[in-house]
Amino acid sequence: MVVNILGEEYEIKILDKRDSCMLENNSDGYVNYDDKCIYLWKEDTWIKHTLLHEMVHAYLHEAGIEFGYGIHNEDNVNFIARMIPKISDQFDNVKGDIKWENYYLIFQVKS
């Protein structure tokens, strides 16, 4: 499975057991930026959230926001990952009222 993150293709690999990186960091998933791969442990009960969390890290990395910036801390990334589905749901509710022109949002007035 592959996901496009800001023009870079990241492979998603689901592992049968935690690898050494997961064990060292007590985690169920991580991103390897060198090989453009997101690793997930298949027994993770929160695997969808973990995937979204790791994708946020990858988006931040591809946008040039490195770990020296505070936004990459786990609390911030968890918050962003939890908010994305909520924002997406609300966007879906209003997108029919929005026209995309020249990369700007233009709201149409309903009469």
Side-chain angles (χ1 to χ4, degrees):
M1 183 176 359
V2 174
V3 62
N4 184 304
I5 297 182
L6 297 180
E8 296 292 329
E9 290 193 351
Y10 278 72
E11 185 176 356
I12 299 169
K13 293 185 180 179
I14 300 176
L15 307 178
D16 290 331
K17 57 183 182 178
R18 287 185 178 116
D19 66 9
S20 60
C21 186
M22 290 176 188
L23 293 171
E24 288 172 20
N25 294 294
N26 192 29
S27 69
D28 293 332
Y30 66 95
V31 181
N32 182 316
Y33 304 110
D34 294 328
D35 67 4
K36 305 273 189 222
C37 195
I38 297 173
Y39 296 92
L40 304 169
W41 178 46
K42 78 173 188 177
E43 298 297 321
D44 178 10
T45 56
W46 298 95
I47 195 166
K48 288 181 182 177
H49 175 77
T50 303
L51 173 58
L52 196 50
H53 174 100
E54 299 307 332
M55 287 175 65
V56 169
H57 276 302
Y59 269 98
L60 292 171
H61 173 78
E62 293 302 332
I65 302 171
E66 298 299 331
F67 282 96
Y69 297 95
I71 190 131
H72 257 292
N73 82 43
E74 295 304 299
D75 290 334
N76 287 338
V77 171
N78 276 334
F79 175 78
I80 293 167
R82 282 194 312 271
M83 292 300 109
I84 287 173
K86 297 172 192 305
I87 293 167
S88 178
D89 287 347
Q90 291 307 309
F91 183 76
D92 286 345
N93 288 337
V94 299
K95 73 179 178 185
D97 298 333
I98 298 172
K99 251 175 103 174
W100 296 88
E101 291 181 8
N102 301 324
Y103 303 106
Y104 295 100
L105 289 177
I106 300 173
F107 289 86
Q108 295 177 336
V109 177
K110 289 184 177 180
S111 45

